[in-house]
Amino acid sequence: MALYDGSKAVIVLDPAIRNWVLLPLMAIMLLVGLVRHYVTLLLASPPGTAKVDYRDTRQTQALMRSVNLRRHARHLPPDAVRARRSYFMDAFKAGKYLKATPKPVSNDDGPAPPDMAGMEMAMDGMKKNMAMMVPQALIMSFLSAFFSGFLLIQLPFPLTVRFKSMLQSGILTPDLDATWVSSLSMYFISFLGMNPVFGLILGQGNAADNSRDMAAMNPLAASASASATGATDIPMPEIPQQGMPMLPGMGGADKGLEKAFMSETEYLQLLDVDQVLWIGEGIEDRVTALLTARVQRR
Amino acid sequence: MAAVAPSFDDAVQELRNQRSSMDVNPYRTVELARLVLKRGRRLGDEVWAVLEQSAMALLDLGMIEEAQKDIDVLDRKFAGSTRVQKLTAMVHEAKGEFDQAMTLYNQLLEQRPADTTLMKRKIAVLKSQRRTQDAIAALNLLLDTLPSDAEAWLELADLYASSHMLQPAAHAVEEALLLLPTNHFVHATYADLLYSLGRRDLALKAYCRAVELVPGYVAGLYGVIKCAREVAKDAPATPDAPPCESYEKLAKVAEQALLQAYDQRAVVAGREDSAAVRAARAWLTGSEM
């Protein structure tokens, strides 16, 4: 086999690379994923025992109820909408749904008293994130220590030059074919693609899924996908998200909700019930036409 | 109805769907579960969920001993689990031992304070004990914290209506309507309440909406006809209300739609109309009985 074939050098990889780098790398990734899944299961507390403060739920739910009213106002008779609108505006202004926070003696924003339920939720979230992040970091450092500057495999399909930066992260050569992949890049790409493999082994909804990590690392992507599915046709107040690890001093969340209630009150004020196109308006004619067409079709 | 029994995999899938949807058809569930549990080993870990489903369906049908057998199997596997104990409490309910059921639910709620299914079962016990006012109070408390549960609002409306408190019932259905605005059944329920409250014009609109969503909805069509006929006879509410003719036209075309539906059913059934259908036709064509 000629080592130099016309224009390009033919590269032959040492089979030892395959035995000692590629296969162990794949094996490690698989095993780490499995371990992550089982560790998460062990660390998770049984559902339903989490001490959820009902006052937290009540706050957020009241807010969602008002948002829902604005979203679906056209399905109720105007009087009903008017009654609810004024009820919510009065209730929110009076802080009826707010959790009663004990006000500190001084008026400035001192650290709020530690919120037990919130702390537990934050700890839970942090535990989960630890389980995800730590193995990743370890493997990355392991790889860069032992396996840097390697070519690992050649991809069987042709690729353009642009893929070089993605696939050959440790190796800076100007004319190496983009189909050769370095070890670090191999790790990244496999990491991104391991979900279906874990799905086959562990079943759906497994804890080795890294799509949730991606959401945690990239809240912009998460919110983009969330808003794509939900309706964003009406203005929504900013609701501070629960479930992200928050520092002690969760009084910040309560302040956020107070603001949310205030902005919701403003949105309610802006809701002009007379302008809402009630579905009941002219519905008799619409249904007459609908039924006439239906009767004539048969 | 299919005469052929479903295959094992189809049955498992259908049971899965039933678990996630709120559709409750206990006869079907029991039939499928019996089929599936004969070869329980093939299910692996899913067998426990199917056992739970089967136990609940059997209790729905009053087949308490058989439900108890399923629960015993679950108890052997998951000793002391609150989820299994919930099933035991449901057995107490089915047997009419309401005090024991209530005590057990209260115990379980101490261990799992955030479990809404337990709270709802407590309300069900109160309902069985005919303590309607207590059930209403408990349900109101639940809905104060979790107002996004349409099923609970509809249950509250039902409780209010059975106590002849029609205005609060209508209010509750409105909440359910905000949560499920495209559900024809909720609109029809709303219309029924409005009619009982005397607001026939609004009831007509609500029935119309139910029919607009599902044009073949028979209950909605009957509602439209009844209300349209009556509103046509009343004096117009406001000067710019639609004239009587439009209501009469609506009633007429709805009658035609229903008569057509009956005709089609008669063709399919291939036999003469029953007395009930004859009475319905007479009412529809206006030959008053």
Side-chain angles (χ1 to χ4, degrees), chain B residues 19 159 193 211 221:
Chain B
R19 258 178 282 154
L159 286 171
L193 282 168
V211 169
L221 284 168

Side-chain angles (χ1 to χ4, degrees), chain A residues 58 61 72 84 286 295, chain B residues 144 148 174-175 178 212:
Chain A
R58 189 168 168 261
Q61 288 282 324
H72 291 140
R84 283 172 167 75
R286 289 205 305 268
V295 163
Chain B
D144 184 54
S148 56
E174 283 164 4
E175 290 295 326
L178 281 174
E212 195 175 24

Side-chain angles (χ1 to χ4, degrees), chain B residues 88-89 91-103 125 129:
Chain B
T88 314
V91 169
H92 283 306
E93 270 187 80
K95 289 190 191 159
E97 298 160 358
F98 297 123
D99 294 319
Q100 277 137 309
M102 190 59 106
T103 324
V125 170
Q129 291 176 307

Side-chain angles (χ1 to χ4, degrees), chain A residues 2-286:
Chain A
L3 276 177
Y4 193 73
D5 169 14
S7 50
K8 303 186 290 204
V10 173
I11 304 178
V12 177
L13 284 182
D14 188 346
I17 295 182
R18 178 197 64 206
N19 297 341
W20 293 103
V21 182
L22 183 62
L23 294 178
L25 181 60
M26 294 294 115
I28 288 174
M29 289 181 69
L30 206 65
L31 290 173
V32 165
L34 289 175
V35 165
R36 208 160 66 164
H37 171 74
Y38 288 114
V39 165
T40 316
L41 284 181
L42 285 173
L43 285 179
S45 40
T49 53
K51 296 274 184 284
V52 174
D53 193 350
Y54 79 93
R55 287 173 299 174
D56 280 316
T57 331
R58 189 168 168 261
Q59 282 181 116
T60 345
Q61 288 282 324
L63 210 48
M64 296 317 299
R65 201 175 150 199
S66 169
V67 170
N68 203 32
L69 171 69
R70 286 190 291 117
R71 176 179 289 148
H72 291 140
R74 61 189 200 101
H75 291 100
L76 279 190
D79 289 335
V81 179
R82 256 186 276 267
R84 283 172 167 75
R85 175 173 168 263
S86 45
Y87 167 73
F88 280 132
M89 278 170 61
D90 293 338
F92 291 167
K93 282 201 192 117
K96 190 172 155 218
Y97 288 100
L98 282 176
K99 228 162 92 158
T101 47
K103 292 242 180 296
V105 175
S106 61
N107 223 4
D108 59 316
D109 293 357
D115 183 7
M116 279 324 293
M119 291 292 288
E120 276 196 44
M121 267 184 10
M123 283 311 294
D124 216 36
M126 274 175 67
K127 268 193 257 178
K128 284 206 185 108
N129 280 350
M130 293 295 275
M132 311 287 190
M133 291 294 143
V134 166
Q136 260 197 54
L138 279 182
I139 294 185
M140 293 259 315
S141 51
F142 179 71
L143 271 190
S144 53
F146 290 112
F147 296 140
S148 57
F150 267 84
L151 280 183
L152 219 51
I153 63 172
Q154 182 184 26
L155 295 174
F157 40 85
L159 288 173
T160 62
V161 165
R162 291 186 161 280
F163 285 97
K164 261 220 294 207
S165 54
M166 182 172 87
L167 294 172
Q168 293 171 0
S169 62
I171 302 168
L172 298 165
T173 55
D175 46 25
L176 185 60
D177 213 325
T179 52
W180 294 99
V181 184
S182 81
S183 50
L184 208 59
S185 308
M186 188 68 203
Y187 170 69
F188 268 125
I189 293 169
S190 309
F191 175 71
L192 293 173
M194 281 297 242
N195 285 344
V197 178
F198 288 129
L200 275 177
I201 303 178
L202 298 168
Q204 293 299 320
N206 63 74
D209 200 337
N210 61 26
S211 58
R212 263 172 282 153
D213 301 347
M214 307 296 278
M217 288 193 290
N218 196 354
L220 188 60
S223 60
S225 56
S227 61
T229 49
T232 47
D233 45 331
I234 48 162
M236 291 226 341
E238 288 282 316
I239 306 176
Q241 292 294 333
Q242 314 267 345
M244 286 201 309
M246 290 196 245
L247 299 170
M250 292 240 311
D254 290 343
K255 292 261 172 13
L257 268 169
E258 269 188 57
K259 285 208 198 97
F261 275 116
M262 284 303 123
S263 62
E264 183 61 30
T265 320
E266 278 175 31
Y267 289 134
L268 279 172
Q269 204 145 20
L270 287 171
L271 174 71
D272 185 352
V273 184
D274 297 314
Q275 289 297 327
V276 171
L277 187 57
W278 180 34
I279 43 156
E281 204 56 54
I283 193 172
E284 294 94 345
D285 296 326
R286 289 205 305 268

Side-chain angles (χ1 to χ4, degrees), chain B:
Chain B
M1 285 291 275
V4 176
S7 77
F8 182 82
D9 295 308
D10 287 339
V12 172
Q13 189 56 47
E14 201 179 329
L15 282 171
R16 258 187 227 142
N17 294 344
Q18 274 198 2
R19 258 178 282 154
S20 50
S21 81
M22 288 211 297
D23 249 332
V24 174
N25 184 352
Y27 294 103
R28 182 76 177 151
T29 309
V30 170
E31 191 187 318
L32 290 168
R34 279 202 179 129
L35 187 78
V36 162
L37 287 171
K38 271 197 214 128
R39 287 180 273 177
R41 245 167 260 278
R42 268 178 71 174
L43 283 170
D45 273 329
E46 203 176 338
V47 71
W48 312 115
V50 173
L51 274 170
E52 187 189 27
Q53 210 177 351
S54 157
M56 290 206 264
L58 286 164
L59 285 176
D60 272 344
L61 297 176
M63 298 158 83
I64 305 182
E65 295 88 29
E66 310 203 14
Q68 188 64 59
K69 282 194 213 137
D70 284 340
I71 297 173
D72 288 334
V73 175
L74 282 167
D75 202 22
R76 271 196 297 264
K77 170 77 178 174
F78 300 108
S81 143
T82 44
R83 202 160 154 180
V84 176
Q85 285 185 293
K86 183 170 84 168
L87 288 171
T88 314
M90 284 169 77
V91 169
H92 283 306
E93 270 187 80
K95 289 190 191 159
E97 298 160 358
F98 297 123
D99 294 319
Q100 277 137 309
M102 190 59 106
T103 324
L104 192 47
Y105 284 133
N106 282 327
Q107 266 176 9
L108 293 172
L109 270 169
E110 269 167 50
Q111 295 169 36
R112 283 181 165 222
D115 191 338
T116 45
T117 52
L118 286 173
M119 298 185 220
K120 287 188 188 177
R121 289 255 46 97
K122 272 183 66 171
I123 295 170
V125 170
L126 289 171
K127 212 176 149 189
S128 307
Q129 291 176 307
R130 306 261 188 277
R131 290 163 60 182
T132 318
Q133 293 307 314
D134 290 332
I136 290 178
L139 196 45
N140 267 318
L141 204 58
L142 177 62
L143 284 165
D144 184 54
T145 311
L146 287 168
S148 56
D149 189 339
E151 187 193 45
W153 282 114
L154 287 172
E155 181 64 35
L156 183 63
D158 192 47
L159 286 171
Y160 273 131
S162 65
S163 316
H164 303 293
M165 298 160 75
L166 297 177
Q167 189 58 59
H171 180 96
V173 177
E174 283 164 4
E175 290 295 326
L177 210 47
L178 281 174
L179 291 162
L180 298 170
T182 50
N183 184 318
H184 59 283
F185 176 72
V186 182
H187 279 280
T189 315
Y190 188 42
D192 292 338
L193 282 168
L194 285 170
Y195 186 88
S196 310
L197 283 166
R199 299 297 313 270
R200 278 175 289 191
D201 50 341
L202 285 181
L204 175 59
K205 287 188 192 283
Y207 281 124
C208 280
R209 182 60 180 166
V211 169
E212 195 175 24
L213 287 166
V214 178
Y217 187 35
V218 174
L221 284 168
Y222 268 114
V224 166
I225 296 171
K226 183 135 177 71
C227 289
R229 282 185 185 173
E230 293 184 10
V231 173
K233 285 202 214 108
D234 293 342
T238 55
D240 52 39
C244 303
E245 292 83 47
S246 63
Y247 289 119
E248 283 164 12
K249 193 167 160 211
L250 174 59
K252 275 268 165 306
V253 75
E255 287 159 19
Q256 281 180 311
L258 266 181
L259 284 167
Q260 254 189 8
Y262 278 120
D263 288 338
Q264 285 174 339
R265 299 265 176 92
V267 167
V268 168
R271 53 166 195 261
E272 273 194 30
D273 287 338
S274 66
V277 175
R278 281 202 301 268
R281 281 182 190 273
W283 185 79
L284 284 171
T285 52
S287 30
E288 299 288 349
M289 297 192 68

